[in-house]
PDB file of all heavy atoms in Angstrom:
ATOM      1  N   GLN A 321       8.135  22.147  19.138  1.00  0.00           N
ATOM      2  CA  GLN A 321       8.451  23.396  18.573  1.00  0.00           C
ATOM      3  C   GLN A 321       8.530  23.395  16.997  1.00  0.00           C
ATOM      4  O   GLN A 321       9.178  22.556  16.478  1.00  0.00           O
ATOM      5  CB  GLN A 321       9.726  24.025  19.080  1.00  0.00           C
ATOM      6  CG  GLN A 321       9.674  24.344  20.599  1.00  0.00           C
ATOM      7  CD  GLN A 321      10.151  23.192  21.434  1.00  0.00           C
ATOM      8  OE1 GLN A 321       9.947  22.075  21.058  1.00  0.00           O
ATOM      9  NE2 GLN A 321      10.690  23.424  22.582  1.00  0.00           N
ATOM     10  N   GLY A 322       7.914  24.446  16.397  1.00  0.00           N
ATOM     11  CA  GLY A 322       7.937  24.517  14.997  1.00  0.00           C
ATOM     12  C   GLY A 322       6.976  23.554  14.247  1.00  0.00           C
ATOM     13  O   GLY A 322       6.872  23.573  13.044  1.00  0.00           O
ATOM     14  N   LYS A 323       6.326  22.723  14.962  1.00  0.00           N
ATOM     15  CA  LYS A 323       5.403  21.718  14.368  1.00  0.00           C
ATOM     16  C   LYS A 323       4.019  21.913  14.998  1.00  0.00           C
ATOM     17  O   LYS A 323       3.288  20.904  15.416  1.00  0.00           O
ATOM     18  CB  LYS A 323       5.849  20.381  14.531  1.00  0.00           C
ATOM     19  CG  LYS A 323       7.237  20.137  13.829  1.00  0.00           C
ATOM     20  CD  LYS A 323       7.646  18.675  14.125  1.00  0.00           C
ATOM     21  CE  LYS A 323       8.964  18.376  13.378  1.00  0.00           C
ATOM     22  NZ  LYS A 323       9.468  17.059  13.724  1.00  0.00           N
ATOM     23  N   VAL A 324       3.571  23.088  15.280  1.00  0.00           N
ATOM     24  CA  VAL A 324       2.341  23.319  16.005  1.00  0.00           C
ATOM     25  C   VAL A 324       1.553  24.462  15.292  1.00  0.00           C
ATOM     26  O   VAL A 324       2.041  25.415  14.845  1.00  0.00           O
ATOM     27  CB  VAL A 324       2.619  23.887  17.440  1.00  0.00           C
ATOM     28  CG1 VAL A 324       1.246  23.928  18.277  1.00  0.00           C
ATOM     29  CG2 VAL A 324       3.643  23.002  18.187  1.00  0.00           C
ATOM     30  N   MET A 325       0.191  24.256  15.256  1.00  0.00           N
ATOM     31  CA  MET A 325      -0.767  25.239  14.785  1.00  0.00           C
ATOM     32  C   MET A 325      -1.691  25.513  15.916  1.00  0.00           C
ATOM     33  O   MET A 325      -2.127  24.658  16.608  1.00  0.00           O
ATOM     34  CB  MET A 325      -1.535  24.724  13.596  1.00  0.00           C
ATOM     35  CG  MET A 325      -2.400  25.648  12.884  1.00  0.00           C
ATOM     36  SD  MET A 325      -3.592  24.770  11.745  1.00  0.00           S
ATOM     37  CE  MET A 325      -2.563  23.985  10.690  1.00  0.00           C
ATOM     38  N   PHE A 326      -1.877  26.822  16.278  1.00  0.00           N
ATOM     39  CA  PHE A 326      -2.861  27.211  17.268  1.00  0.00           C
ATOM     40  C   PHE A 326      -4.127  27.728  16.685  1.00  0.00           C
ATOM     41  O   PHE A 326      -4.031  28.660  15.811  1.00  0.00           O
ATOM     42  CB  PHE A 326      -2.232  28.318  18.173  1.00  0.00           C
ATOM     43  CG  PHE A 326      -0.984  27.831  18.918  1.00  0.00           C
ATOM     44  CD1 PHE A 326       0.261  27.931  18.386  1.00  0.00           C
ATOM     45  CD2 PHE A 326      -1.134  27.346  20.161  1.00  0.00           C
ATOM     46  CE1 PHE A 326       1.460  27.523  19.126  1.00  0.00           C
ATOM     47  CE2 PHE A 326      -0.085  26.862  20.941  1.00  0.00           C
ATOM     48  CZ  PHE A 326       1.240  26.964  20.369  1.00  0.00           C
ATOM     49  N   LEU A 327      -5.218  27.136  17.031  1.00  0.00           N
ATOM     50  CA  LEU A 327      -6.601  27.508  16.496  1.00  0.00           C
ATOM     51  C   LEU A 327      -7.447  27.914  17.542  1.00  0.00           C
ATOM     52  O   LEU A 327      -7.377  27.376  18.738  1.00  0.00           O
ATOM     53  CB  LEU A 327      -7.138  26.343  15.758  1.00  0.00           C
ATOM     54  CG  LEU A 327      -6.313  25.876  14.541  1.00  0.00           C
ATOM     55  CD1 LEU A 327      -6.689  24.407  14.152  1.00  0.00           C
ATOM     56  CD2 LEU A 327      -6.623  26.809  13.292  1.00  0.00           C
ATOM     57  N   LYS A 328      -8.325  28.889  17.314  1.00  0.00           N
ATOM     58  CA  LYS A 328      -9.299  29.350  18.339  1.00  0.00           C
ATOM     59  C   LYS A 328     -10.548  28.594  18.082  1.00  0.00           C
ATOM     60  O   LYS A 328     -11.286  28.708  16.981  1.00  0.00           O
ATOM     61  CB  LYS A 328      -9.569  30.856  18.231  1.00  0.00           C
ATOM     62  CG  LYS A 328     -10.515  31.293  19.281  1.00  0.00           C
ATOM     63  CD  LYS A 328     -10.578  32.848  19.399  1.00  0.00           C
ATOM     64  CE  LYS A 328     -11.458  33.101  20.641  1.00  0.00           C
ATOM     65  NZ  LYS A 328     -12.753  33.492  20.335  1.00  0.00           N
ATOM     66  N   GLY A 329     -10.934  27.728  19.086  1.00  0.00           N
ATOM     67  CA  GLY A 329     -12.090  26.894  18.873  1.00  0.00           C
ATOM     68  C   GLY A 329     -12.633  26.451  20.291  1.00  0.00           C
ATOM     69  O   GLY A 329     -11.898  26.537  21.248  1.00  0.00           O
ATOM     70  N   SER A 330     -13.921  26.085  20.291  1.00  0.00           N
ATOM     71  CA  SER A 330     -14.482  25.682  21.657  1.00  0.00           C
ATOM     72  C   SER A 330     -14.344  24.227  21.813  1.00  0.00           C
ATOM     73  O   SER A 330     -14.648  23.435  20.993  1.00  0.00           O
ATOM     74  CB  SER A 330     -15.960  26.083  21.743  1.00  0.00           C
ATOM     75  OG  SER A 330     -15.986  27.458  21.588  1.00  0.00           O
ATOM     76  N   ILE A 331     -14.019  23.849  23.048  1.00  0.00           N
ATOM     77  CA  ILE A 331     -13.855  22.356  23.380  1.00  0.00           C
ATOM     78  C   ILE A 331     -15.304  21.921  23.805  1.00  0.00           C
ATOM     79  O   ILE A 331     -16.134  22.635  24.317  1.00  0.00           O
ATOM     80  CB  ILE A 331     -12.817  22.181  24.626  1.00  0.00           C
ATOM     81  CG1 ILE A 331     -11.715  23.156  24.486  1.00  0.00           C
ATOM     82  CG2 ILE A 331     -12.449  20.759  24.753  1.00  0.00           C
ATOM     83  CD1 ILE A 331     -10.892  23.050  23.206  1.00  0.00           C
ATOM     84  N   CYS A 332     -15.492  20.595  23.632  1.00  0.00           N
ATOM     85  CA  CYS A 332     -16.844  20.104  23.682  1.00  0.00           C
ATOM     86  C   CYS A 332     -17.328  20.044  25.188  1.00  0.00           C
ATOM     87  O   CYS A 332     -18.498  19.747  25.483  1.00  0.00           O
ATOM     88  CB  CYS A 332     -17.004  18.805  22.966  1.00  0.00           C
ATOM     89  SG  CYS A 332     -15.872  17.543  23.573  1.00  0.00           S
ATOM     90  N   ARG A 333     -16.416  20.167  26.101  1.00  0.00           N
ATOM     91  CA  ARG A 333     -16.869  20.312  27.551  1.00  0.00           C
ATOM     92  C   ARG A 333     -16.555  21.764  27.934  1.00  0.00           C
ATOM     93  O   ARG A 333     -15.406  22.186  27.866  1.00  0.00           O
ATOM     94  CB  ARG A 333     -16.169  19.362  28.547  1.00  0.00           C
ATOM     95  CG  ARG A 333     -16.497  17.890  28.301  1.00  0.00           C
ATOM     96  CD  ARG A 333     -15.913  17.051  29.446  1.00  0.00           C
ATOM     97  NE  ARG A 333     -16.058  15.717  29.192  1.00  0.00           N
ATOM     98  CZ  ARG A 333     -15.631  14.739  30.130  1.00  0.00           C
ATOM     99  NH1 ARG A 333     -15.043  15.140  31.175  1.00  0.00           N
ATOM    100  NH2 ARG A 333     -15.876  13.474  29.842  1.00  0.00           N
ATOM    101  N   GLN A 334     -17.623  22.391  28.278  1.00  0.00           N
ATOM    102  CA  GLN A 334     -17.446  23.877  28.605  1.00  0.00           C
ATOM    103  C   GLN A 334     -16.359  24.268  29.548  1.00  0.00           C
ATOM    104  O   GLN A 334     -15.771  25.347  29.341  1.00  0.00           O
ATOM    105  CB  GLN A 334     -18.779  24.459  29.164  1.00  0.00           C
ATOM    106  CG  GLN A 334     -19.475  25.266  28.128  1.00  0.00           C
ATOM    107  CD  GLN A 334     -20.745  25.826  28.569  1.00  0.00           C
ATOM    108  OE1 GLN A 334     -20.854  26.984  28.938  1.00  0.00           O
ATOM    109  NE2 GLN A 334     -21.840  25.043  28.767  1.00  0.00           N
ATOM    110  N   GLU A 335     -16.068  23.488  30.482  1.00  0.00           N
ATOM    111  CA  GLU A 335     -14.972  23.732  31.461  1.00  0.00           C
ATOM    112  C   GLU A 335     -13.543  23.550  30.950  1.00  0.00           C
ATOM    113  O   GLU A 335     -12.666  23.929  31.581  1.00  0.00           O
ATOM    114  CB  GLU A 335     -15.262  22.910  32.700  1.00  0.00           C
ATOM    115  CG  GLU A 335     -14.929  21.349  32.561  1.00  0.00           C
ATOM    116  CD  GLU A 335     -16.185  20.544  32.002  1.00  0.00           C
ATOM    117  OE1 GLU A 335     -17.085  21.183  31.514  1.00  0.00           O
ATOM    118  OE2 GLU A 335     -16.115  19.314  32.155  1.00  0.00           O
ATOM    119  N   LEU A 336     -13.445  22.981  29.769  1.00  0.00           N
ATOM    120  CA  LEU A 336     -12.074  22.773  29.279  1.00  0.00           C
ATOM    121  C   LEU A 336     -11.630  23.929  28.307  1.00  0.00           C
ATOM    122  O   LEU A 336     -12.460  24.498  27.585  1.00  0.00           O
ATOM    123  CB  LEU A 336     -12.035  21.441  28.527  1.00  0.00           C
ATOM    124  CG  LEU A 336     -12.268  20.191  29.415  1.00  0.00           C
ATOM    125  CD1 LEU A 336     -12.376  18.918  28.527  1.00  0.00           C
ATOM    126  CD2 LEU A 336     -11.225  20.015  30.474  1.00  0.00           C
ATOM    127  N   LEU A 337     -10.403  24.237  28.580  1.00  0.00           N
ATOM    128  CA  LEU A 337      -9.852  25.467  27.812  1.00  0.00           C
ATOM    129  C   LEU A 337      -8.969  25.131  26.646  1.00  0.00           C
ATOM    130  O   LEU A 337      -8.623  25.943  25.802  1.00  0.00           O
ATOM    131  CB  LEU A 337      -9.009  26.324  28.837  1.00  0.00           C
ATOM    132  CG  LEU A 337      -9.736  26.658  30.103  1.00  0.00           C
ATOM    133  CD1 LEU A 337      -8.781  27.289  31.115  1.00  0.00           C
ATOM    134  CD2 LEU A 337     -10.865  27.683  29.799  1.00  0.00           C
ATOM    135  N   ILE A 338      -8.591  23.857  26.595  1.00  0.00           N
ATOM    136  CA  ILE A 338      -7.528  23.492  25.602  1.00  0.00           C
ATOM    137  C   ILE A 338      -7.648  22.131  25.165  1.00  0.00           C
ATOM    138  O   ILE A 338      -8.058  21.190  25.984  1.00  0.00           O
ATOM    139  CB  ILE A 338      -6.084  23.834  26.134  1.00  0.00           C
ATOM    140  CG1 ILE A 338      -5.050  23.473  25.121  1.00  0.00           C
ATOM    141  CG2 ILE A 338      -5.896  23.221  27.480  1.00  0.00           C
ATOM    142  CD1 ILE A 338      -3.635  23.989  25.559  1.00  0.00           C
ATOM    143  N   GLU A 339      -7.306  21.751  23.951  1.00  0.00           N
ATOM    144  CA  GLU A 339      -7.333  20.446  23.425  1.00  0.00           C
ATOM    145  C   GLU A 339      -6.298  20.216  22.412  1.00  0.00           C
ATOM    146  O   GLU A 339      -5.978  21.240  21.700  1.00  0.00           O
ATOM    147  CB  GLU A 339      -8.693  20.051  22.827  1.00  0.00           C
ATOM    148  CG  GLU A 339      -8.874  18.646  22.345  1.00  0.00           C
ATOM    149  CD  GLU A 339     -10.343  18.370  21.985  1.00  0.00           C
ATOM    150  OE1 GLU A 339     -11.305  18.579  22.760  1.00  0.00           O
ATOM    151  OE2 GLU A 339     -10.570  17.916  20.826  1.00  0.00           O
ATOM    152  N   VAL A 340      -5.652  19.146  22.294  1.00  0.00           N
ATOM    153  CA  VAL A 340      -4.534  18.952  21.357  1.00  0.00           C
ATOM    154  C   VAL A 340      -4.683  17.644  20.617  1.00  0.00           C
ATOM    155  O   VAL A 340      -5.015  16.529  21.114  1.00  0.00           O
ATOM    156  CB  VAL A 340      -3.190  18.862  22.106  1.00  0.00           C
ATOM    157  CG1 VAL A 340      -1.947  18.621  21.151  1.00  0.00           C
ATOM    158  CG2 VAL A 340      -2.925  20.135  22.955  1.00  0.00           C
ATOM    159  N   GLU A 341      -4.479  17.675  19.289  1.00  0.00           N
ATOM    160  CA  GLU A 341      -4.498  16.477  18.451  1.00  0.00           C
ATOM    161  C   GLU A 341      -3.099  16.472  17.639  1.00  0.00           C
ATOM    162  O   GLU A 341      -2.450  17.516  17.566  1.00  0.00           O
ATOM    163  CB  GLU A 341      -5.617  16.599  17.402  1.00  0.00           C
ATOM    164  CG  GLU A 341      -5.440  17.680  16.416  1.00  0.00           C
ATOM    165  CD  GLU A 341      -6.468  17.698  15.291  1.00  0.00           C
ATOM    166  OE1 GLU A 341      -7.660  17.724  15.537  1.00  0.00           O
ATOM    167  OE2 GLU A 341      -5.932  17.567  14.067  1.00  0.00           O
ATOM    168  N   GLY A 342      -2.768  15.289  17.135  1.00  0.00           N
ATOM    169  CA  GLY A 342      -1.543  15.269  16.433  1.00  0.00           C
ATOM    170  C   GLY A 342      -1.446  14.029  15.541  1.00  0.00           C
ATOM    171  O   GLY A 342      -2.114  13.101  15.678  1.00  0.00           O
ATOM    172  N   ILE A 343      -0.507  14.113  14.672  1.00  0.00           N
ATOM    173  CA  ILE A 343      -0.043  12.962  13.796  1.00  0.00           C
ATOM    174  C   ILE A 343       1.427  12.701  14.089  1.00  0.00           C
ATOM    175  O   ILE A 343       2.287  13.600  13.979  1.00  0.00           O
ATOM    176  CB  ILE A 343      -0.284  13.329  12.304  1.00  0.00           C
ATOM    177  CG1 ILE A 343      -1.758  13.620  12.103  1.00  0.00           C
ATOM    178  CG2 ILE A 343       0.188  12.112  11.415  1.00  0.00           C
ATOM    179  CD1 ILE A 343      -2.023  14.084  10.668  1.00  0.00           C
ATOM    180  N   TRP A 344       1.711  11.485  14.397  1.00  0.00           N
ATOM    181  CA  TRP A 344       3.128  10.986  14.577  1.00  0.00           C
ATOM    182  C   TRP A 344       3.310   9.975  13.358  1.00  0.00           C
ATOM    183  O   TRP A 344       2.521   9.165  13.076  1.00  0.00           O
ATOM    184  CB  TRP A 344       3.324  10.288  15.920  1.00  0.00           C
ATOM    185  CG  TRP A 344       3.752  11.277  16.958  1.00  0.00           C
ATOM    186  CD1 TRP A 344       4.931  11.438  17.350  1.00  0.00           C
ATOM    187  CD2 TRP A 344       2.892  12.195  17.773  1.00  0.00           C
ATOM    188  NE1 TRP A 344       5.026  12.335  18.470  1.00  0.00           N
ATOM    189  CE2 TRP A 344       3.756  12.903  18.666  1.00  0.00           C
ATOM    190  CE3 TRP A 344       1.593  12.541  17.722  1.00  0.00           C
ATOM    191  CZ2 TRP A 344       3.302  13.879  19.467  1.00  0.00           C
ATOM    192  CZ3 TRP A 344       1.092  13.477  18.612  1.00  0.00           C
ATOM    193  CH2 TRP A 344       1.996  14.157  19.445  1.00  0.00           C
ATOM    194  N   HIS A 345       4.477  10.063  12.798  1.00  0.00           N
ATOM    195  CA  HIS A 345       4.852   9.319  11.550  1.00  0.00           C
ATOM    196  C   HIS A 345       6.026   8.374  11.858  1.00  0.00           C
ATOM    197  O   HIS A 345       6.854   8.645  12.701  1.00  0.00           O
ATOM    198  CB  HIS A 345       5.191  10.331  10.476  1.00  0.00           C
ATOM    199  CG  HIS A 345       5.551   9.716   9.153  1.00  0.00           C
ATOM    200  ND1 HIS A 345       4.572   8.984   8.457  1.00  0.00           N
ATOM    201  CD2 HIS A 345       6.676   9.624   8.446  1.00  0.00           C
ATOM    202  CE1 HIS A 345       5.115   8.529   7.330  1.00  0.00           C
ATOM    203  NE2 HIS A 345       6.408   8.956   7.314  1.00  0.00           N
ATOM    204  N   MET A 346       5.904   7.199  11.194  1.00  0.00           N
ATOM    205  CA  MET A 346       6.974   6.190  11.300  1.00  0.00           C
ATOM    206  C   MET A 346       7.458   5.867   9.917  1.00  0.00           C
ATOM    207  O   MET A 346       6.633   5.590   9.068  1.00  0.00           O
ATOM    208  CB  MET A 346       6.533   4.964  12.084  1.00  0.00           C
ATOM    209  CG  MET A 346       6.433   5.121  13.552  1.00  0.00           C
ATOM    210  SD  MET A 346       5.504   3.775  14.300  1.00  0.00           S
ATOM    211  CE  MET A 346       3.860   4.463  14.311  1.00  0.00           C
ATOM    212  N   ASP A 347       8.664   5.848   9.725  1.00  0.00           N
ATOM    213  CA  ASP A 347       9.217   5.731   8.347  1.00  0.00           C
ATOM    214  C   ASP A 347      10.673   5.164   8.329  1.00  0.00           C
ATOM    215  O   ASP A 347      11.513   5.726   8.924  1.00  0.00           O
ATOM    216  CB  ASP A 347       9.202   6.944   7.633  1.00  0.00           C
ATOM    217  CG  ASP A 347       9.254   6.841   6.110  1.00  0.00           C
ATOM    218  OD1 ASP A 347       9.774   5.739   5.595  1.00  0.00           O
ATOM    219  OD2 ASP A 347       8.686   7.618   5.423  1.00  0.00           O
TER     220      ASP A 347
END
Side-chain angles (χ1 to χ4, degrees):
Q321 294 89 329
K323 298 176 176 175
V324 188
M325 188 193 302
F326 293 91
L327 295 160
K328 181 163 190 263
S330 300
I331 320 305
C332 59
R333 290 188 187 183
Q334 253 182 105
E335 66 275 17
L336 296 174
L337 304 170
I338 179 168
E339 185 172 305
V340 180
E341 64 170 64
I343 302 175
W344 270 257
H345 183 63
M346 286 166 265
D347 200 334

